[in-house]
Amino acid sequence: MRNRINFYLLEYALHSLWRQKSKTLFIGLVLTLLIFLLSALFFIASSIKHELAQSVDALPEITVQKLQGGKHTNIPSSAVDTILSIHGVEDAIARVWGYYYFQKAGVPFVLVGVDPFEEQYKKSLQKIVDNYEISSQEQMLVGRGVYEIFKEHHYEESFNFIKSDGSLYTLPIAGVFTETIELESNDMIILSKQSAREIFAMDADMATDIVVKVANPEEIAMVASKIQLAFPDARIITKEALQISYANIIDYKSGVFLSLFIVSLFTFFMIIYDKLSGLSTQERREIGILKALGWKVELILKEKFYEAALLSFVSYLVGVSVALFYVYILHAPLLRNIFEGYSVLRSSFHLPFVLDFQTLALLFFLSIPLYVAASIIPSWRVATQEADEVMR
Amino acid sequence: MNKTTKGLFLFLSILLFVFLGQLGYLFATQSVTQEAKEKKQLFVSLTSLPDLAIATEADYIRHRSMSDYFSLFKEGPFLREYFVSSYLYAPSTQYFTARSYEK
């Protein structure tokens, strides 16, 4: 029975909050804004991590890149045969890909060369490409962002790539990747390896890097070390390394999160310091009068707890609800600029929704208990003194 | 329970309803479906390239997982914060983890 909500006290707490309207409103607003900003950032970060985690299984087990003077450079395709001779290697594919800078728009595209479009390929491609027109000639598939840029510059049917010798290489657009995979494909152009080599002026016996498939996950480390032994100048990236990289893409060491955390923690500390350094004369007098009227310390603290809990809980609910709406329905205007940086090619920022209880709990425990404690401790200090001493 | 308390509970219930309703709506409409996941995996297996096309301004940001701390050196050793994205996305720890298979 002792733990039941005391409605009279609750009513008193409500009136008390109402009496100090401007103070309640100000603290509520600051708390709501703080929770909104933090939760919006957390939601975006967890959605990006979730989106990455969706496709990590489809990545190759090992990527082999040749380094020369610390820079990534082309690798001879013949390295594939050496890698294939290693036990445990299921397949090794020489990849041709790179960046193409479209000067007129100031946009870099990612060009990925794939083997000639075979029948089985085409069937699977139809699932991820809108209005895919199958043709036997050289063609390309483009991401939505790329297509928008092409359209802006009147390249609706085909695009002229400028080769290294200055001549043009025209490729027709066979289709646009569907919206579902926009976050992965927005700046991508898929074309045949032959076309990619033409555009990059790359020799037929060279490749950008080599991807290796290993059937048994237990053997990845051994295969990787054998490849390293065969190619001492290579950078070997295993799937495990990619997973680690995905996990800490946005971590607390990076600038924005660190500075936001510092700002929010300082704000909280300011509120707490302000509260701990003593109550206003009016609040002290109020507690004194209550004590003189016969209120026990316990009741006074309970009333203060109701006040603080109500204010912070409402701020939490409003802050998080607004953040959800802002991130997933409005697609985070303004804040998305931080995530997109200076990129000219913008995606529509349709992030997948993730019900992340960890984030919700983190925000809950960062806001409510801290504020409640900051309200109760000074009240307890005053309430334990004699009534006449407090009112004097 | 008097009128004020009832009003408070009504207000809190509405807030909770909006909050939970929004969670439910977003979960139903904006989570990744199995079909969407398959499409994403199909695309990634086609290109076999990691990372998302959100920030595309520099190659070490676009394909961050395939770069290392020193990829930025190509742009000049003092250009640590030339792009705002490098302020947000943590640099890949690839250089140290790539040899993790040797453990």
Side-chain angles (χ1 to χ4, degrees):
Chain A
M1 288 300 277
R2 281 173 68 89
N3 290 330
R4 274 185 62 184
I5 298 173
N6 187 333
F7 289 113
Y8 295 113
L9 267 186
L10 191 66
E11 194 188 326
Y12 183 86
L14 262 179
H15 283 298
S16 171
L17 284 173
W18 186 251
R19 264 200 307 280
Q20 305 164 28
K21 269 193 286 291
S22 54
K23 188 187 156 201
T24 309
L25 202 71
F26 179 72
I27 293 182
L29 214 67
V30 170
L31 218 56
T32 309
L33 268 174
L34 212 65
I35 293 168
F36 160 74
L37 195 64
L38 271 180
S39 45
L41 268 174
F42 280 138
F43 289 152
I44 297 176
S46 68
S47 284
I48 288 179
K49 281 187 183 176
H50 184 76
E51 180 75 17
L52 284 168
Q54 293 287 315
S55 57
V56 76
D57 291 339
L59 286 168
E61 278 75 23
I62 299 170
T63 308
V64 184
Q65 293 185 333
K66 186 180 162 71
L67 296 181
Q68 192 175 30
K71 287 182 185 178
H72 173 208
T73 180
N74 293 339
I75 188 166
S77 303
S78 57
V80 169
D81 300 327
T82 318
I83 293 171
L84 278 174
S85 67
I86 296 170
H87 283 293
V89 173
E90 189 190 352
D91 198 6
I93 302 159
R95 222 163 38 167
V96 181
W97 68 278
Y99 306 97
Y100 178 84
Y101 186 64
F102 181 32
Q103 215 159 8
K104 243 180 166 179
V107 176
F109 299 136
V110 180
L111 268 61
V112 184
V114 294
D115 286 318
F117 294 166
E118 290 161 12
E119 262 326 298
Q120 60 185 69
Y121 234 24
K122 283 176 179 166
K123 271 184 195 155
S124 56
L125 275 176
Q126 271 170 337
K127 287 185 197 161
I128 52 171
V129 180
D130 293 335
N131 310 320
Y132 182 34
E133 293 165 21
I134 300 169
S135 146
S136 55
Q137 67 177 122
E138 289 287 316
Q139 53 188 6
M140 62 176 170
L141 300 166
V142 298
R144 297 185 90 80
V146 178
Y147 190 59
E148 289 301 318
I149 297 278
F150 280 177
K151 271 204 299 196
E152 272 174 35
H153 294 82
H154 310 289
Y155 292 108
E156 290 187 15
E157 300 290 322
S158 61
F159 182 74
N160 300 327
F161 290 96
I162 303 171
K163 294 202 290 187
S164 62
D165 60 2
S167 58
L168 295 181
Y169 187 79
T170 309
L171 272 181
I173 302 166
V176 181
F177 289 112
T178 180
E179 205 179 345
T180 325
I181 55 165
E182 194 191 3
L183 283 176
E184 284 83 7
S185 68
N186 199 42
D187 66 342
M188 292 249 197
I189 297 177
I190 306 264
L191 62 180
S192 74
K193 272 184 183 168
Q194 195 194 332
S195 301
R197 280 205 171 93
E198 282 274 338
I199 295 163
F200 295 143
M202 197 189 269
D203 292 335
D205 57 350
M206 297 299 268
T208 313
D209 51 20
I210 293 169
V211 289
V212 183
K213 283 182 189 163
V214 180
N216 183 359
E218 300 289 319
E219 289 178 356
I220 296 175
M222 179 53 77
V223 172
S225 60
K226 280 185 178 170
I227 297 173
Q228 186 78 77
L229 211 60
F231 303 99
D233 60 346
R235 174 163 63 194
I236 317 286
I237 303 164
T238 57
K239 199 176 191 172
E240 193 192 347
L242 288 179
Q243 281 165 339
I244 293 169
S245 166
Y246 275 12
N248 54 28
I249 176 167
I250 301 161
D251 64 7
Y252 302 118
K253 280 179 282 180
S254 59
V256 169
F257 283 85
L258 192 67
S259 41
L260 256 170
F261 261 120
I262 290 171
V263 169
S264 54
L265 281 180
F266 263 106
T267 319
F268 270 123
F269 283 138
M270 264 170 64
I271 294 175
I272 291 167
Y273 178 77
D274 184 48
K275 287 258 175 192
L276 287 181
S277 60
L279 300 174
S280 66
T281 5
Q282 200 192 341
E283 282 171 305
R284 287 170 69 91
R285 188 172 293 148
E286 189 186 322
I287 293 176
I289 292 171
L290 290 179
K291 281 206 79 177
L293 284 173
W295 282 44
K296 282 188 241 161
V297 178
E298 185 194 327
L299 277 180
I300 296 172
L301 292 188
K302 213 171 183 181
E303 188 271 325
K304 287 288 165 196
F305 169 79
Y306 283 155
E307 259 184 53
L310 262 178
L311 186 61
S312 49
F313 186 62
V314 169
S315 300
Y316 173 80
L317 276 184
V318 175
V320 175
S321 301
V322 175
L324 280 171
F325 184 79
Y326 172 78
V327 173
Y328 296 110
I329 296 177
L330 299 180
H331 305 301
L334 296 178
L335 209 55
R336 60 188 277 188
N337 293 349
I338 300 177
F339 286 83
E340 289 176 336
Y342 289 152
S343 321
V344 180
L345 200 71
R346 303 266 161 156
S347 68
S348 54
F349 217 64
H350 282 240
L351 293 171
F353 172 69
V354 199
L355 195 55
D356 188 2
F357 289 110
Q358 212 180 332
T359 310
L360 292 176
L362 176 76
L363 289 163
F364 187 88
F365 290 115
L366 207 65
S367 53
I368 297 178
L370 261 173
Y371 183 74
V372 169
S375 303
I376 285 186
I377 294 168
S379 305
W380 167 75
R381 271 195 198 159
V382 176
T384 46
Q385 294 171 5
E386 286 302 320
D388 64 329
E389 205 178 305
V390 177
M391 281 191 287
R392 199 171 291 156
Chain B
M1 207 191 296
N2 69 359
K3 222 169 152 186
T4 327
T5 329
K6 275 183 191 162
L8 171 76
F9 278 108
L10 186 69
F11 175 66
L12 283 180
S13 315
I14 292 172
L15 268 185
L16 258 177
F17 177 75
V18 169
F19 176 65
L20 295 175
Q22 198 168 213
L23 279 183
Y25 170 76
L26 290 173
F27 187 73
T29 56
Q30 306 221 11
S31 323
V32 179
T33 59
Q34 188 58 32
E35 193 195 347
K37 190 179 169 182
E38 278 167 16
K39 282 182 182 176
K40 287 173 204 290
Q41 288 189 338
L42 187 67
F43 181 77
V44 172
S45 62
L46 178 74
T47 60
S48 57
L49 283 172
D51 295 308
L52 297 178
I54 294 177
T56 58
E57 54 203 29
D59 54 353
Y60 58 85
I61 295 286
R62 172 65 180 91
H63 290 113
R64 173 187 158 279
S65 306
M66 288 175 47
S67 62
D68 54 45
Y69 276 149
F70 307 104
S71 300
L72 285 85
F73 267 57
K74 284 185 286 184
E75 318 288 333
F78 44 82
L79 287 178
R80 173 68 184 90
E81 302 300 352
Y82 186 77
F83 291 116
V84 260
S85 319
S86 60
Y87 181 59
L88 175 68
Y89 302 107
S92 174
T93 50
Q94 209 58 257
Y95 188 76
F96 303 107
T97 54
R99 283 170 175 268
S100 59
Y101 55 79
E102 285 176 353
K103 67 188 168 218

